[in-house]
Amino acid sequence: MNKNSSANMNLAPVHPSHRSLHPSKGPPSSEAVEGQPQRGTRRCLSTETKPHARRSSFRVAALSLALWLFASIFVNTGSGGKGEQETMSNTAHAGRSQLGEADLKEIRAQLLKLVNQERAMAHVPPLVLDDLANRVADAHALDMATNKFLSHCGRNGSKPYHRYSFAGGIHSLSENVSALDKVRTTNPADLAKDLTYMHATMHAEVPPDDGHRRNILAPHHTHVGFGIALHDDTLRLAEEYIGKYIEVVPFKQRSTPRDRFFLRGRLLDRKHILRSVEIFYEPFPRPIDLASLPPLSACGLPPTFVTLYPRLPDGEFYIDGRRGTIELGTAGWFALPVELFKDEPGIYTIVFWISKTPREKPFAATSICIKSEK
C-alpha cells in the first residue's frame, strides 16, 4: 500500500486600490482541493487520505505561498549588499549523497521543461531558471528534509520573504513546497520521477482551491528556482516562482528603530506604473516547534503596516487630503521615504505594488526586508 498526501497554502496579499486609504492586509489562507494523481493518493488539509497503489510507502505534502519576495539587489543585476546568510541553512548539500550536482542539474532541467509546457498550454510566458532562487530553495528544502517537517516557515522561524531578502534578493516570489517520506530507493532516475510526480499533483489542482497551480501559471512570474533535498528516506521539493520588475540601488539591511532613509530604484519597464508601497513590521522570528507547526497564516505578511502613495501633481489629493510621499522621476526612477516606525526591534518588509497599465489590477513586485536593532 502506498500513500502520499498534500497540503496547500496561499497567502497572496491583496493589492491596495489606487488612491485608497484602506488597502487589504491579505486574504485568509486557502487549502488545496484534492487532485487525481495516478501514482498515489493525495491528502489535503481539508480532506481525508485515500490509499492508492504505488511502489513505495510514502507521504507527499505540498504547500503554496503567493507571498511576494526577492531575488536580487545590485542596481544592474538585481542584487546589492552582502545578504544575511544566517537566516539560511548552512549548506544545501549535506545529507544528499545520492544526488550529485549533475543529477540536480538534470532534474531541474526536467522540472523547468515541465513547468514551461504547462505555462505554454495556459498561454503565459515561459520562465527562466534563477540561480539565487535555486540556492535559497535548496537551503529551505534541506532544512525541511533534515528535520522531517513541511512548512513555509524555516526551523528558525524565518518566513519565505526573510530568507530571500537576507540572501540578497529583492524581487517578488511565490513558493510551493512538497514533501515525500519513506522513499525506498535513492536512485536518481527514480527520484526524478518522484519529483516530477510531486510537481504534477500540484499542477493538477482545480479551482477554487488551486494555490499551487496558480503559482505555477501566474502570468507575472518571469523566473523560477527549484530546491531539492534528500536526507535518509526523506525527500523535499521547494519551487520558487519569481517576478523581476524592479531594481534598487544598494541599501542597508541593518538599522535602528525610528531610523529614516530613502530607498531609490527604478522600474525595469518605464511604461509600468508604481501604484503604492506597503511597509510591514513584525518582531524577530522565533524557532518553530516541530511537534506543533505554525498555522498557515503565521508564515505570511504581518498585520502591522503603513501605506505610501506616489506624490500627486499640485492641486490633486488623495481622499484623506494627502498628496503622497513617493517621488517619481523620469525613466521609471523613484525615491521612497522609509521610516522604521516602531520603537521595538524587528523586521520591516517593503512591498511595492505596480501595474503594467492603468486599468490592470496591481501586483506585488518586491518584499525588501530590513532588520531594526537597538
Side-chain angles (χ1 to χ4, degrees), residues 30-229:
S30 65
E31 298 173 343
V33 161
E34 186 171 60
Q36 300 296 327
Q38 299 178 358
R39 305 174 63 200
T41 298
R42 301 181 64 206
R43 185 185 71 233
C44 304
L45 291 179
S46 58
T47 61
E48 61 182 333
T49 303
K50 301 176 184 178
H52 193 287
R54 195 169 185 267
R55 68 173 185 273
S56 63
S57 177
F58 59 89
R59 176 181 63 87
V60 173
L63 301 164
S64 74
L65 179 67
L67 175 64
W68 305 100
L69 317 168
F70 299 146
S72 61
I73 23 186
F74 286 125
V75 66
N76 290 326
T77 65
S79 181
K82 297 180 179 179
E84 301 291 341
Q85 299 296 325
E86 69 269 17
T87 63
M88 300 173 60
S89 301
N90 291 328
T91 174
H93 303 289
R96 289 190 298 172
S97 59
Q98 300 300 319
L99 285 175
E101 288 300 324
D103 296 325
L104 291 173
K105 183 177 180 180
E106 176 62 26
I107 292 172
R108 287 195 177 105
Q110 293 178 21
L111 289 172
L112 177 64
K113 181 178 180 180
L114 178 59
V115 166
N116 282 336
Q117 288 174 343
E118 295 163 344
R119 291 176 65 86
M121 293 178 63
H123 305 290
V124 293
L127 304 180
V128 177
L129 200 63
D130 185 83
D131 182 63
L132 179 61
N134 285 337
R135 288 187 279 114
V136 177
D138 261 352
H140 186 50
L142 180 60
D143 184 21
M144 294 188 292
T146 303
N147 296 286
K148 300 185 184 301
F149 75 100
L150 183 73
S151 175
H152 289 292
C153 290
R155 186 166 52 106
N156 61 2
S158 63
K159 298 180 180 182
Y161 51 94
H162 297 157
R163 296 191 294 270
Y164 268 85
S165 183
F166 293 132
I170 67 164
H171 301 296
S172 66
L173 184 143
S174 302
E175 178 181 84
N176 289 348
V177 292
S178 179
L180 186 151
D181 296 334
K182 298 183 180 179
V183 177
R184 290 184 177 178
T185 173
T186 56
N187 179 279
D190 287 333
L191 291 174
K193 293 178 182 178
D194 286 334
L195 290 160
T196 299
Y197 168 70
M198 293 160 70
H199 171 85
T201 59
M202 294 188 285
H203 178 260
E205 294 171 346
V206 296
D209 301 309
D210 56 344
H212 299 107
R213 182 182 176 88
R214 291 197 303 270
N215 282 346
I216 295 167
L217 302 179
H220 293 133
H221 292 152
T222 60
H223 294 69
V224 66
F226 300 103
I228 301 164

Side-chain angles (χ1 to χ4, degrees), residues 334-346:
F334 58 80
L336 172 72
V338 177
E339 179 181 0
L340 307 185
F341 52 85
K342 300 284 285 188
D343 293 323
E344 298 79 14

